[in-house]
Amino acid sequence: MSDSGFGSSTLVLALVGSAVTVLSTFLGALPALAARSISQRSKDVLMGFSAGVMLAATAFSLIVPAIRLVEERTTSRFLPACIVGGSMLVGGLFLHLCNRFIPHEHFIKGQEGNAEAVRMKRIWLFVLAIALHNFPEGLAVGTGVGSRSMTIAAPILVGIGLQDIPEGFVVALALMGVAYSRKQAVLVALYTGLVEGVAALVGFFATSFASGVLPWALAFAGGSMLYVVSDEMIPESHRQEYAKEATAGLMVGFVLMMFLDVTLS
């Protein structure tokens, strides 16, 4: 699966994938230092856009390559569907268990996870919530880069990096909206970007040194991302009166990511 588009240094590949996730989130949050506020409509459109990018990345950049990789190793039409489908469900279950047992707080839904959450500072609950949200994205980036295939990695890197920018901006403004300073808001975005970067390294090393797990890892990351989109992003973007605008954002994000996947592949 190695393409000539990648160099030979595995360390460089890992750092590039990790840096994309960290810097995109941080750069997206920086404009919040100058912005006073953003309308709820704009927030919902940006959230919908991010959801659309993640949905398309899940389908075209993770699930389809995973199926093709398994198909290359077997003549069965049944086995690829079972392996990829099962790995997706495990990825979704992993995020469900994280949401259930790790204390965190959403901006709208409030506290979730372990009851010990009430003993933590509120800002760290927000950090954990956003980190849980971002982990599958980093995992997807790292898994794509770990494949050493530009065909697989390039659309994921560009797409996730692209959607991290508006996401970082919205997160920073949301924190400012619950009485945190601009500096705190940007730092939280940086912290969550670092978590995404660590997840990228985990995905990279898991697939880089055990290439046989690549289709499973791609599907696991896809299932995790699908869970986040369905459980958090779409409900939150439709919670106010701008559901149609959020849907339009989702459609644009989906089509843009599909375009990137086709052209970059």
Side-chain angles (χ1 to χ4, degrees):
M1 290 299 299
S2 180
D3 290 354
S4 60
F6 277 147
S8 59
S9 172
T10 57
L11 179 59
V12 170
L13 297 182
L15 292 176
V16 167
S18 181
V20 165
T21 59
V22 176
L23 293 177
S24 297
T25 305
F26 181 63
L27 290 175
L30 284 179
L33 292 172
R36 292 187 176 182
S37 63
I38 182 174
S39 68
Q40 185 61 49
R41 174 181 292 174
S42 297
K43 288 180 182 177
D44 290 344
V45 169
L46 290 173
M47 182 69 75
F49 174 83
S50 294
V53 170
M54 289 179 67
L55 278 175
T58 297
F60 302 114
S61 303
L62 296 171
I63 304 306
V64 170
I67 292 173
R68 288 174 178 168
L69 285 169
V70 180
E71 286 178 338
E72 291 174 0
R73 304 172 185 179
T74 179
T75 58
S76 170
R77 305 297 298 175
F78 179 74
L79 189 60
C82 288
I83 290 176
V84 174
S87 298
M88 288 180 65
L89 292 176
V90 172
L93 177 62
F94 172 75
L95 258 293
H96 169 73
L97 294 175
C98 288
N99 273 320
R100 181 174 180 181
F101 294 109
I102 297 177
H104 59 284
E105 180 169 350
H106 297 280
F107 295 111
I108 297 176
K109 293 193 294 184
Q111 290 186 0
E112 289 186 340
N114 194 294
E116 293 295 317
V118 295
R119 300 181 182 179
M120 299 177 65
K121 288 186 177 181
R122 194 180 183 205
I123 193 167
W124 289 111
L125 296 177
F126 286 132
V127 170
L128 286 171
I130 302 164
L132 287 174
H133 171 109
N134 287 358
F135 185 85
E137 301 168 28
L139 193 64
V141 168
T143 302
V145 175
S147 72
R148 291 187 177 81
S149 168
M150 185 63 80
T151 299
I152 295 176
I156 301 175
L157 278 168
V158 176
I160 296 301
L162 182 68
Q163 74 92 28
D164 274 344
I165 294 174
E167 188 175 89
F169 182 62
V170 170
V171 164
L173 286 178
L175 283 166
M176 289 161 56
V178 289
Y180 288 101
S181 69
R182 296 171 190 268
K183 181 179 178 180
Q184 285 177 315
V186 173
L187 284 176
V188 167
L190 176 60
Y191 294 152
T192 56
L194 289 171
V195 170
E196 195 169 338
V198 170
L201 291 175
V202 170
F204 174 83
F205 286 112
T207 55
S208 176
F209 296 109
S211 59
V213 306
L214 180 59
W216 286 266
L218 288 170
F220 179 92
S224 300
M225 284 176 57
L226 189 62
Y227 182 94
V228 168
V229 170
S230 178
D231 186 64
E232 297 180 22
M233 300 181 76
I234 291 178
E236 290 200 13
S237 67
H238 285 63
R239 202 173 291 271
Q240 305 293 329
E241 57 183 306
Y242 304 111
K244 293 188 182 300
E245 289 87 341
T247 299
L250 184 147
M251 295 287 292
V252 171
F254 188 96
V255 171
L256 178 59
M257 182 62 206
M258 180 189 68
F259 178 83
L260 290 173
D261 187 271
V262 172
T263 56
L264 293 177
S265 296

